[in-house]
Every structure is written in C-alpha cells, then in structure tokens.
C-alpha cells in the first residue's frame, strides 16, 4: 500500500508560496490525486533525517527519565509516588498473568478477597502483557523507566511520521511538530507517575488512517481493517485518550466537510464504508473486554459525586511555563497547578501560535481546521466554572450545562480536553515551519512559477526577513518548553523478609499476607510495592484502584474496614486510641474476611505506634528477620 505524499501542485502560483495550504493525496478531489502521476514515496525506507529525528526523540526520552536511572530500583515520582507504584504493580500484573496464564482482565492479588477489575482501571494491558518478559527478567521498576521514556519517544516518532508523510514537506517542520506532540508540557506532566497518558504512539496513526478513509484509489476494506486493528489495540492502552482522539477527529471531519462540501461528498460513501468496517472489527475484537469492564466483577457505573467534573483548566495556565520545563517554576503549582498541567504553553508560544494562525488561516485548509480545534477544545476544557489565576470566577463554563450522569461524559475530566489543544498546537508549529521553509529566499521566485512570478517575487523579497524572523520566533517559543528530568524521590526497599521469600512458610495457598499499613489511596505506598516487587506471589487486602461502593458507583480504594480505619487514624494522630473488646472482635472478623494468615509490620516512620496498636489488637508479635509478625 503506497503511503500518501504531500501534493506538489499546491506549491504552484495558484497560492502564495509562503502560506500555501499543504494537503495530502488523500484529498482525491484536489490536484495531485491518485492517478495523476504524482511520484510515490517508498513505504519503508527511512531517510537520514528520519533516523536523526528518532534518535533525538530517544535522547529526550532518556533525559526525561534521567533521575529514575540514578537508582532505578528505589526511586519513584516525587509528584505522584502512589501512581508510580500503581503502574509498577501493573507491569508486575502483566508478567504474572502471562507467567501463570491467568485472565489479565481481573486480579485477585490486590483487594483480596474481592479483587480488582483491571478493565475498569487504567491497566495498560496493551503494554504490560507484551513487556512481561522484560518485567520477569529485570523487575517492574526497570520496565517502568524503560517504557516511560520509550512511550514518549515513540509518540514523537509516530507524530513525525504522520506529519512528514501526510501534512508537511519539510522534515525539520515534522521534527518540530513531532517533538511537541511527544513532549508537550502537558504530556511530560503526566509522565510523573501516569505513563498511560504518555502512551499516545498509536494516536497519530489512527488520525492519519481516519483522514485517508474514502480517498480515491484506496481500498476501503484495507483502510477499515487497519483502523479497526489500531482502535482495538488502543483500547488496551488508554480508552480516555482514544475518546479524546475520536472527538477531535469528529471535529476535523465536520470542519473539512463544511469547507470542502463537494470533496467530502465524493468521499462520503468510501469513508462511511471503511469507518463502519473498522468500527465493527474493533467492536468484535474488544466486545468481551468492554462487557467485562462494565458488567464483570468489581465493575462500577460512574464515579461517586462526579468528582472529575469540577477539574477545568485555569485560563492563566495557558500562558504559564510548566514546572518540568527549563523555564518552569515549582512555586506556581501551589496556585494554579492544583489539578493537572495539561496546557502550560508559556506566553511566547501562545503569542507565536496566534500570529501563525493569523498568517496561515486564510490560505491553508489545515490551519483553518487547526483553528477550529483550538477554539472548540479550549472552550470545552474550561469546565463548569471559569478559573483565573487559581481562583474561581462567577462565570459559568460550558460544563455547567452538561448533566453529570451522561454515559462516558460522567467519567471525563474537562481539563484533559486541553490535551487536544496541545496536539493542535503541535500541528500548527509544523505548518508554520513548513510555510517558512517554502518561502522563497533572497527574492528568487520558487521553481515552477510562471504567471504568478511577480507575486512570488514579492513573497521572495519578504522571505529575506520573514524566514529568519519566523524561525527565530518559533525557536524562542519552544526552547523554554524543553523538558527537564522528572523529579524523583527515594523510597525504602521492602523488608528482607519479603524480598528473600521468608514469608513463604507463613502464607499457604489461598491465604493472604496483611501488610501494615494496609495499602490505600492515601496510605501504604511502601506496602503496595511489596506485592509488585515480589511478582504478586502473595495476595494483599486493600490497594490503589477504583472499585464499586454499595450503590455501584466508583470509589477510590477498598471500603475501609474497622481495623484499617484504626490503623489510618493511629498513623495520622501518632497515638493509639482507647481500645475495647469490640475493637478486637472487629479486627478478628476483618482478618477472617481477608483470609489472612499473617500480619506483617516492617520499617516505617510510625513503626513504634503501629506495633503498639497491633499488639493491643492481636497480642504480642514475633520478630522474624527485619519485620514484626502476627500469625493469625
């Protein structure tokens, strides 16, 4: 299958060469459509520029993860340490599922005895299962760091491929756009413990495939199958980013159809056929996992209270430098960065983007579509209330008029719609650089111009200053956004009793090991890692996940039982509360519910008071290796 290439006829004198629209051969109704003799680019023959671009992206990925590699086994994100540990646990889950040939859609190794619905959580199965051999060989900490940097670089690389093959001529323009799409401030922010939001390497391929549907000379069956396979696999990586991409594609298709109705109508039949085939194939391949997600054990319907709906993007965030960039400052997080940093472009990039749009939007179809994306998703990301400089205003945002219980919408976070804005800005940067690259320098008219030579000559004279000024402006806008290594903190290793297998005689098959503190969304980060770093060899109660409450709504973590509530309150206050026989009876009932065989307390800042509490509840402990142990 030939890869569509940029239409060379669009560089003729039919449009000003400094801002001519760049379109692909997918627009079969325009000049240079299939069958006109346009040369085809070889499918798999990367040029030196391609290899250099990919190499640069890999180096950037290594840079972002540099602090982890300093002590990869004991360092986690200092921004989201619990999320970091959760994803280490997920890599261990993938390895455990492959090693034991168990259903990866569900796990009993956390939240015992009820388990966790992995499809109803951010399980990243599309990565954890293929990387199981790496995890089994080197451990989940190494796999996490490798994957995080690799996902960032891979997203930049596929974005570069999409831009260079389908949208722009200049490889430098494609490199700039790909670098921004892979390492935008909002994406790097999510790299702090949330690798599922940097795993966007399939999304540029999905977008390119959607834009090719129905083009003349293409097989709608082949395109539909390719789209279906890509969408099906993306479901096992990140459904939320797939939904955002689908919404963006919908806006793009509508914007294109509005501006080119005849071309859209000519492609409508093939587009619809291919889209239907792709959707049917994706549904066929993922029907059971999706059913399991919403109807399997430990599934839920919506989040309790629609907690995400109030998380909108602060207007000042658009012109602020993100913390993890060379121009960023940690202090700003205490004001407007209380939720997520999904834009944070800095004022130079915002100004350059506005100027680029003003210059390109009248002449470039792609720029007009980008403008629509920017407006639609910027407004949509504001949320139910307009926020400005860290404070809520009295102005309603668009989400104030959207019911919280709409399907799919009930799970969405408004601020994350700004990730589409970041993607549109990346495409705009590529378009702007490409337009500058095609501006004739030194007053020389571009090759191929005849009737429009005078106009082209004028453009060329302008190019004497336009190109260097434009390049400098783009460089000054993006250089402050170069990412810095992610901040990391050291976490103590698990007890030797755990890592050496000393627990084995105490935990027979079908029973659980109860770590103190019991893992939750607030407490127990170190003890959650016990499970991950031992390859899930023993199940544990509690955990870090989303599961159902008694009403079927999603809540964070397992419902607190009396003994876990006592443990958490003791940790918070630093003192043991007065205990009664009822407390001891409830503790024994909780341990029976968890099918516990042993309770283990390792080194902990609150070790003394926790040992006092557990002794009052369960009796004197045993000192085994480097832990306190209660056999139950």
């Amino acid at each position: 299958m030939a890869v569509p290439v940029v239409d060379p006829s669009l560089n003729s004198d039919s449009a000003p060469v400094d801002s001519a629209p760049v379109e692909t051969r997918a627009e079969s109704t325009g000049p240079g459509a299939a069958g006109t003799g346009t040369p085809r680019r070889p499918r798999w023959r990367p040029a030196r520029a391609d290899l250099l671009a990919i190499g640069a992206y890999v180096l950037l990925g290594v840079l972002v993860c540099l602090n982890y590699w300093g002590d990869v086994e004991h360092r986690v994100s200092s921004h989201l340490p619990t999320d970091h540990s959760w994803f280490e646990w997920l890599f261990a889950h993938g390895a455990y599922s492959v090693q034991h040939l168990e259903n990866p859609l569900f796990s009993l190794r956390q939240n015992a005895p009820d388990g966790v619905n992995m499809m109803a959580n951010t399980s990243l199965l599309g990565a954890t299962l293929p990387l199981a051999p790496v995890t089994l060989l080197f451990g989940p900490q190494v796999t996490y760091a490798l994957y995080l940097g690799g996902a960032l670089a891979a997203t930049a690389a596929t974005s570069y491929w999409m831009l260079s093959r389908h949208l722009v001529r200049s490889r430098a323009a494609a490199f700039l756009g790909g670098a921004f799409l892979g390492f935008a401030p909002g994406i790097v922010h999510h790299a702090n413990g949330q690798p599922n939001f940097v795993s966007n390497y399939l999304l540029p391929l999905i977008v390119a495939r959607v834009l090719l549907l129905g083009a003349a000379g293409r097989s709608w069956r082949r395109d539909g199958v390719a789209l279906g396979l890509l969408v099906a696999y993306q479901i096992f990586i990140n459904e939320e980013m797939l939904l955002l991409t689908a919404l963006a594609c919908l806006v793009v298709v509508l914007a294109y159809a509005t501006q080119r109705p005849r071309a859209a109508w000519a492609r409508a039949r093939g587009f619809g056929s291919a889209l239907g085939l792709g959707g049917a194939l994706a549904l066929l391949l993922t029907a059971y996992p999706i059913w399991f997600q919403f109807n399997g054990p430990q599934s839920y319907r919506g989040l309790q209270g629609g907690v995400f709906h109030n998380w909108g993007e602060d207007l000042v965030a658009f012109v602020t430098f993100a913390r993890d960039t060379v121009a960023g400052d940690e202090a700003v997080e205490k004001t407007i960065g209380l939720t997520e940093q999904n834009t944070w472009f800095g004022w130079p990039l915002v100004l350059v983007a506005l100027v680029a749009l003003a210059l390109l939007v009248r002449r470039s179809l792609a720029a007009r579509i980008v403008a629509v994306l920017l407006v639609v998703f910027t407004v949509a990301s504001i949320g139910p209330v307009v926020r400005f400089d860290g404070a809520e205003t009295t102005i309603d945002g668009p989400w104030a008029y959207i019911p919280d219980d709409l399907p799919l919408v009930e799970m969405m976070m408004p601020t994350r719609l700004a990730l589409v804005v970041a993607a549109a800005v990346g495409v705009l940067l590529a378009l702007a650089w490409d337009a500058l690259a095609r501006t004739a320098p030194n007053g020389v008219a571009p090759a191929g111009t005849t009737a429009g030579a005078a106009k082209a000559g004028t453009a060329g004279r302008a190019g004497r200053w336009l190109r260097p000024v434009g390049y400098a402006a783009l460089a000054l806008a993006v250089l402050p956004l170069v990412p810095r290594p992610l901040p990391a903190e050291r976490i103590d290793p698990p007890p030797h009793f755990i890592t050496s297998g000393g627990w084995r005689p105490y935990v027979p098959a079908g029973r659980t090991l109860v770590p103190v503190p019991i893992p939750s969304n607030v407490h127990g980060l170190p003890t959650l890692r016990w499970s991950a770093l031992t390859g899930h060899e023993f199940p544990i109660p509690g955990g870090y996940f989303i599961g159902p409450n008694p009403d079927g709504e999603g809540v964070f973590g397992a419902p607190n039982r009396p003994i876990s509530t006592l443990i958490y309150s003791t940790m918070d206050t630093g003192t043991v509360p007065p205990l009664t026989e009822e407390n001891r009876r409830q503790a024994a009932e909780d341990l029976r519910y968890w099918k516990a065989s042993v309770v283990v307390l390792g080194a902990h800042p609150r070790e003394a008071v926790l040992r006092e509490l557990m002794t009052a509840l369960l009796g004197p402990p045993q000192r085994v290796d480097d832990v306190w142990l209660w056999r139950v």
Side-chain angles (χ1 to χ4, degrees):
M1 181 176 61
V3 174
V5 298
V6 175
D7 183 355
S9 65
L10 292 171
N11 276 339
S12 68
D13 60 346
S14 59
V17 293
D18 62 333
S19 57
V22 181
E23 304 176 23
T24 71
R25 291 180 56 193
E27 279 197 64
S28 59
T29 57
T36 61
T38 302
R40 294 174 179 267
R41 181 177 292 145
R43 184 179 182 185
W44 295 112
R45 191 177 298 171
R48 181 179 301 175
D50 300 336
L51 298 177
L52 290 174
I54 294 171
Y57 297 149
V58 171
L59 290 177
L60 269 177
V62 172
L63 172 68
V64 169
C65 300
L66 197 60
N67 286 334
Y68 295 145
W69 289 113
D71 187 7
V72 70
E73 293 187 353
H74 305 119
R75 289 195 180 183
V76 298
S77 167
S78 58
H79 184 77
L80 291 172
T82 312
D83 279 9
H84 186 127
S85 293
W86 160 251
F87 279 96
E88 287 184 345
W89 190 92
L90 287 177
F91 281 109
H93 165 72
Y96 183 88
S97 300
V98 171
Q99 185 180 22
H100 297 273
L101 300 179
E102 291 198 357
N103 178 13
L105 306 183
F106 192 78
S107 176
L108 286 168
R109 315 313 284 181
Q110 189 175 164
N111 192 36
D114 299 321
V116 178
N117 188 319
M118 304 307 295
M119 279 300 297
N121 284 266
T122 53
S123 54
L124 203 65
L125 292 173
T128 62
L129 294 176
L131 290 174
V134 179
T135 305
L136 291 171
L137 284 173
F138 302 106
Q141 310 103 306
V142 173
T143 308
Y144 178 96
L146 278 174
Y147 179 78
L148 184 65
L152 289 164
T155 300
T158 56
S159 300
Y160 168 84
W161 177 89
M162 182 269 291
L163 292 169
S164 63
R165 268 56 175 180
H166 298 285
L167 195 61
V168 298
R169 292 172 177 268
S170 166
R171 296 297 175 92
F175 173 79
L176 176 63
F180 191 86
L181 286 163
F183 296 91
I187 300 299
V188 173
H189 167 76
H190 282 287
N192 288 282
Q194 296 179 322
N196 57 317
F197 281 105
V198 309
S199 304
N200 303 322
Y201 35 83
L202 293 185
L203 300 182
L205 307 181
I206 291 173
V207 171
R209 189 59 51 183
V210 169
L211 298 182
L212 291 173
L213 298 182
R218 300 189 62 86
S219 167
W220 66 268
R221 293 181 180 86
R222 195 182 320 175
D223 285 346
V225 168
L227 178 63
L229 293 175
L230 288 169
V231 168
Y233 202 89
Q234 178 64 31
I235 286 174
F236 296 103
I237 295 176
N238 191 328
E239 292 176 271
E240 186 173 355
M241 292 302 293
L242 178 61
L243 176 60
L244 294 181
T245 303
L247 293 174
C249 286
L250 176 62
V251 172
V252 168
V253 170
L254 292 177
Y256 175 81
T258 301
Q259 298 178 73
R260 296 288 175 86
R262 292 184 178 179
W265 181 252
R267 295 175 58 177
R269 182 175 179 181
F271 183 94
S273 300
L275 187 65
L277 176 60
L281 177 60
L283 183 60
L284 176 66
L285 295 174
T286 62
Y288 177 72
I290 291 175
W291 175 89
F292 195 94
Q293 176 178 348
F294 294 103
N295 298 281
Q298 292 298 104
S299 59
Y300 54 88
R301 300 286 178 150
L303 290 177
Q304 186 180 38
V307 295
F308 287 161
H309 278 215
N310 292 325
W311 292 10
E313 191 75 337
D314 193 304
L315 294 182
V316 176
F318 287 87
V319 295
T320 304
F321 292 114
R323 180 199 64 184
D324 297 322
T325 60
V326 295
D329 182 5
E330 288 188 23
V332 76
E333 286 190 308
K334 300 176 182 179
T335 55
I336 66 174
L338 299 180
T339 54
E340 294 183 352
Q341 301 175 16
N342 291 311
T343 52
W344 297 64
F345 302 132
W347 61 266
L349 179 56
V350 171
L351 291 179
V352 168
L354 292 174
V355 172
L357 274 180
L359 294 176
L360 292 176
V361 74
R362 291 183 60 188
R363 302 178 177 92
S364 169
L365 173 62
R368 291 195 292 274
I369 292 176
V370 165
V372 174
L373 283 172
L374 289 172
V375 171
V376 170
F377 284 92
T378 296
V379 173
S381 70
I382 292 173
V385 178
V386 176
R387 286 179 168 82
F388 188 86
D389 200 18
E392 291 187 354
T393 69
T394 58
I395 304 173
D396 286 341
W399 285 72
Y401 307 99
I402 301 176
D404 289 348
D405 56 354
L406 286 179
L408 293 180
V409 173
E410 63 186 355
M411 298 292 295
M412 293 181 66
M413 189 184 301
T415 179
R416 288 181 182 167
L417 293 169
L419 292 173
V420 178
V421 178
V425 170
V427 174
L428 178 62
L429 289 173
L431 291 173
W433 189 285
D434 192 59
L436 289 170
R438 290 183 292 105
T439 300
N442 302 323
V444 178
T449 57
T450 53
K455 183 183 291 187
T458 302
R461 287 189 291 275
R464 294 179 179 179
W465 61 267
L466 181 61
R467 291 180 78 175
V469 170
Y471 287 150
L474 289 171
L476 292 174
V478 298
L479 283 177
L481 305 181
V482 172
R484 295 185 296 182
L486 298 174
E489 64 183 29
R490 192 181 190 281
I491 188 170
D492 292 333
H496 182 261
F497 173 79
I498 296 296
T499 57
S500 67
W503 56 270
R504 294 182 187 279
Y506 302 94
V507 187
R511 304 294 291 276
T512 65
L513 182 151
V514 178
V516 177
I518 296 162
S520 74
N521 283 3
V522 179
H523 301 286
L525 165 62
T527 56
L528 175 64
R529 297 185 88 225
W530 293 7
S531 172
L533 303 188
T534 55
H536 292 194
E537 292 194 7
F538 53 80
I540 58 172
Y544 185 73
F545 62 97
I546 301 178
N549 66 8
D551 297 325
E553 298 174 310
V555 293
F556 293 93
N560 283 347
R561 298 188 68 86
I563 189 172
S564 54
T565 300
L566 278 174
I567 290 172
Y568 301 149
S569 64
T570 299
M571 291 174 63
D572 292 338
T573 62
T575 59
V576 178
L579 300 178
T580 65
E581 286 302 316
E582 178 64 14
N583 294 131
R584 297 182 180 91
R585 185 196 66 78
Q586 289 176 334
E589 182 178 331
D590 291 344
L591 294 172
R592 282 195 296 269
Y593 175 78
W594 288 327
K595 299 181 181 179
S597 63
V598 66
V599 177
V600 179
L601 170 63
H604 192 277
R606 298 285 194 182
E607 178 181 344
V609 71
L610 287 173
R611 177 159 58 91
E612 181 183 351
L613 171 67
M614 300 310 296
T615 299
L617 288 172
L618 305 177
Q622 222 181 321
R623 185 67 177 179
V624 179
D625 200 346
D626 54 350
V627 302
W628 296 101
L629 184 146
W630 290 263
R631 299 189 69 167
V632 297

